């Protein structure tokens, strides 16, 4: 069950080939790469997975391929959609494919707590029983949810088993969610992992984020769980300069894909239009950040 | 007390002279014009009063002049401000001048009910005891308030004595507010009076709106109170073509000022920059709408 | 060709049965109703057609049924979508079905003219040659387009053949578009036709709007074209009280469906969730507005 | 002249005492602290200076005190205001006090390039000749400006002498502004300095940002100018864990004030309401981040 989740869910990319067609074969290598570097589960068709640029059929094919290759690890599929009919239609289909659950952020335009609760009542009237990750990501969804509202949603809807908490700032929000009592759900954190060690200190159950060095997210999580808080910080700080580079919205996603291409995880770093295209200056910055990281890793290793 | 309000509060213009300086003398003629046409009270420094284009000193002078000339009728002063310090500073000053109360819409950026209630807790920590009109005008404030939220504010803060209800659509919202129980506050309605007879049918206590023929708002209100519902509709419908013209945002305010200049209420129709300037086509439309209205009024009179 | 359009395009409803399933048979009676009352063309899957509540397959079935029944009249299909892939996919499919063109509003999130032009470059890279209605409806799309931007889009993309102008206020915007020179495209106007006679006076080529009495839109258009400007206003003013009732967002659409059900155009007034449900008070208001309209029509007729 | 600026402008805090009154004496110690740690100039009454929580008089007193104590270094005053009258009124007053210029972000609600240019035409009609920092901070202003728009503003208004560039992502935007040709203006960068070394590599003239260790911003700037790019990165990376903590919006500002209190720069870390109040967990995180930083600094020093 998702509410017992402890570990690292990787927010997975959607690989495209040079012609911007979905590259299903690269999904296989990418899944293997993620697993090799410590992923305990997958979140596909999220914002940084470029879900918003796929047709419905493409989205289904991507989800199916991830599920197929995941070696039994849970795959959560993002289904947020301004159309409730499309959201519930897609939910049913991916559950049929074997997804562990769906991830939903409230639809744009919701402005009050009353509308928020009405929205999820509508969602679960059709999505009854489907394990759900509630995504609290107001930067992208444009909908804010207060701690009391989230706790009320958790209390009233058993489907909500996990919260992806990526409001900003998020630290005290995590503390308040944990102190809120009631049914315990898992809390994983996003925001490109920029605050991961601190979030773990506040009671988060792990990261749900993407990074071109997923082994860092995995290692920081495991060190922290083992009580090695300083070692966790040391590892995190090594990667922070690159991490913050990849946190620059879709430009960061583009950089992340390029880094993963260099590491052999995917064949092409192509982003589908509309999206950024890395400039020469961007690539040179990645060269430098990458070289500096390698040097620090070598020093640590030695 | 504002919570016993029954009647017509006019949303008052701020007159400027040809050089865009505040025209204090025109406030005197304008107040007389409003009173002659049935105004029971005044709301000054609202959105359509161009409050957002005044310095703080100018705003105080405008409010003072209205209060001075109002012949004892209550004057409510709009004090909404992104800065809480400025809001409370202005509130204290206009109460000293003799205002009947202040009107407050929640500050932009508020996104959850928790933030909304926190905001008003902050407001009333300083504005303790000041009679307050809660303005529910999400189109301008960018903050939505649900019926339960408004009722909770009313219950917890005795300062709130009147609700200016101008959400869209507003009819069922008025019904729900009236059915909500609890302490009774007055409800006046805005939205340029486009739905006035219906709103009165739902339990509103009168209009708080502006129109170049304020006698219509007054008459519709009085007929409705007297149970002459059809007559109220007949009067309203006569003016509706012009009313909806004046409902076009700041363009409508500009048209309204021009009509009031023609009627002798103010000396100049100037809007302060940044704001619209009527074109020849606009003026010709006003000519036609005005002529058609006069014709219908003559037919009714005869 | 759409750029020669002169006349009345009705913004068409999507009928649902009591279970909220799409009622394809009611589309047939509805099309006949629209044609009988003067529709020269159809706009389907727009905002008030509840397109946002349909699955992709449902949308295609609705569009196909409209095209089939339209007796050769042009059918424009709304394809706006946050996903460019879905927008272009749907465009290709409805053109295959025989649509006269597609209607597109810019995707949410666009904030500068540069992004706007980049967006449409991306759109037309795939939608090359597809006749397009550019919808200028910032209230719903959350994207504003200035007159110079619209004119530049028209100049650079021959696909844009018609502008649905429903910014608010819109009168001077229509004038400026007409005075802008360059290639002439058709301009039809929306905003629930609240400003129709004035818009025709500014150079609009007709309404693209919905109303439960489509014969009014048709008659006002035809009278205006015939130079009978006062008669056009007289007809318009008769219906204005009901028209402004139906202009209350989705609540107005719900009222419109109820009125059309009463007139026999559709079997059920059901709105799909999430959406408003008319209260007893709403229905009573419709009774009164309807009775008053019938009385006025009878007086005019006699 | 501001357009020749090269160096570090510190975005300055507004100190409050325990009762939330402005603490003018702490401004003196704070200015001395900033200068001691390398500040070449000051930006006061910005977003993180809590300008939005001051009355107009308080703002003037804060600006005056900074100017008085600045030892001749330039002080730029933030004057952005939804009311154009208040913006220009405040501009005139602070220039009289000896400010080097004013900083302006476009007012909320501007949606098109045409509106943007109209807005600044209105601004400079009154602010003619006042040296101006154009703040490109869409996260706070809610107004996006494209590179062509900014370049056009620079070309048409000689008053604009400096751009505070803090859009996200900003790296390619800085490159494009530099490549844009035309009159050269200074570019300083904000965003809490999270991308400072990269921004300097793109052609920025220095940071305009706040941090509890301003000596880092100063040192990174000076090393970079001296061509010691790797050393600049080394210094920056040391502080990055704390820097990103202080980048958490107003929560970060609160942490920054606490750190500066600990360093003796101000007497109290009070934020004026509405604003965050640090929790025990927050303070413990600052303890750890601070201790880790001191350890690294000691290691480097040794």
């Amino acid at each position: 069950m998702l509410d017992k989740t402890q570990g690292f869910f990787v927010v997975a990319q959607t690989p495209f080939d040079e012609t911007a067609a979905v590259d299903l074969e690269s999904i296989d290598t990418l899944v293997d790469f993620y697993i090799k570097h410590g992923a305990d589960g997958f979140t596909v068709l999220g914002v940084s997975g470029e879900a918003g640029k796929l047709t419905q059929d493409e989205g289904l094919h991507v989800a199916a391929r991830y599920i197929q290759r995941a070696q039994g690890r849970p795959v959560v599929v993002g289904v947020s959609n301004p159309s409730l009919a499309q959201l519930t239609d897609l939910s049913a289909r991916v559950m049929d494919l074997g997804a562990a659950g769906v991830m939903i952020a409230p639809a744009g335009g919701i402005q009050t707590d009353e509308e928020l609760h009405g929205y999820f009542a509508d969602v679960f009237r059709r999505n009854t029983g489907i394990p759900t990750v509630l995504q609290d990501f107001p930067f992208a969804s444009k909908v804010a949810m207060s701690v009391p509202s989230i706790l009320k949603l958790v209390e009233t809807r058993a489907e909500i088993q996990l919260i992806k908490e990526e409001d900003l700032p998020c630290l005290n929000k995590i503390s308040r969610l944990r102190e809120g009592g009631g049914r315990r759900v898992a809390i994983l954190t996003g925001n490109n992992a920029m605050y991961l060690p601190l979030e773990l200190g506040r009671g988060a159950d792990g990261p749900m984020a993407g990074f071109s060095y997923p082994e860092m997210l995995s290692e920081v999580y495991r060190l922290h769980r083992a009580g090695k808080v300083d070692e966790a910080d040391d590892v995190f700080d090594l990667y922070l300069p690159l991490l913050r580079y990849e946190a620059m919205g879709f430009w960061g996603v583009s950089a992340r894909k390029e880094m993963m291409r260099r590491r052999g995880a995917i064949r092409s770093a192509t982003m589908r239009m509309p999206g950024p295209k890395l400039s020469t200056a961007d690539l040179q910055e990645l060269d430098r950040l990458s070289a500096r990281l390698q040097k620090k890793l070598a020093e640590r290793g030695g």
Side-chain angles (χ1 to χ4, degrees), chain A residues 70-293:
Chain A
Q71 302 180 32
R73 284 171 176 74
V75 176
V76 167
V77 182
V79 297
S80 302
N81 197 300
S83 160
L84 193 55
Q86 292 186 28
L87 182 157
T88 54
D89 186 43
L90 185 56
S91 297
R93 290 179 195 229
V94 299
M95 292 310 291
D96 282 349
L97 290 172
V102 299
M103 181 165 74
I104 303 176
I110 292 172
Q111 294 181 284
T112 66
D113 288 11
E114 188 179 43
E115 289 170 349
L116 180 71
H117 293 284
Y119 177 75
F120 279 105
D122 286 342
V123 165
F124 289 118
R125 192 165 299 124
R126 302 201 207 172
N127 264 20
T128 314
I130 297 181
T132 298
V133 174
L134 177 65
Q135 185 180 26
D136 183 24
F137 190 21
F139 178 79
S141 70
K142 311 297 181 201
V143 179
M145 298 189 283
S146 67
V147 169
S149 260
I150 294 173
L151 291 173
K152 187 175 160 192
L153 282 172
V154 166
E155 278 315 297
T156 52
R157 299 304 321 195
E159 286 89 350
I160 299 175
Q161 301 190 358
L162 194 157
I163 297 166
K164 185 181 186 198
E165 182 50 61
E166 47 187 338
D167 196 357
L168 265 181
C170 57
L171 299 176
N172 287 293
K173 197 165 191 179
I174 295 168
S175 295
R176 290 180 64 201
L177 286 170
R178 273 289 165 249
E179 292 155 7
R183 179 168 64 87
R184 191 188 195 281
V185 293
I187 298 176
L188 301 186
T189 60
N191 275 327
N192 296 296
M194 282 292 289
Y195 299 94
L196 179 58
L198 299 157
E199 292 162 341
L200 294 170
R202 298 295 186 117
D205 297 300
M208 185 181 271
F211 184 40
S212 60
Y213 287 77
E215 59 267 42
M216 183 276 271
L217 304 181
S218 169
E219 193 179 354
V220 167
Y221 168 73
R222 281 172 233 288
L223 286 168
H224 209 280
R225 281 301 110 140
K228 301 181 178 174
V229 178
D230 283 312
E231 289 89 330
D233 273 347
D234 291 341
V235 170
F236 180 82
D237 289 355
L238 273 185
Y239 290 87
L240 185 52
L242 178 60
L243 191 70
R244 72 91 160 69
Y245 197 88
E246 293 188 14
M248 294 188 294
F250 274 113
W251 223 277
V253 174
S254 191
R256 184 177 303 159
K257 279 188 143 179
E258 169 61 13
M259 290 301 298
M260 299 210 302
R261 184 195 64 75
R262 295 181 182 186
R263 299 191 76 195
I266 52 179
R267 280 189 294 208
S268 163
T270 305
M271 301 272 289
R272 186 173 270 192
M273 298 288 286
K277 202 170 154 24
L278 298 180
S279 65
T280 307
D282 295 328
L283 293 170
Q284 288 169 345
E285 286 163 354
L286 284 178
D287 292 343
R288 284 201 75 231
L289 285 165
S290 186
R292 287 179 59 85
L293 174 59

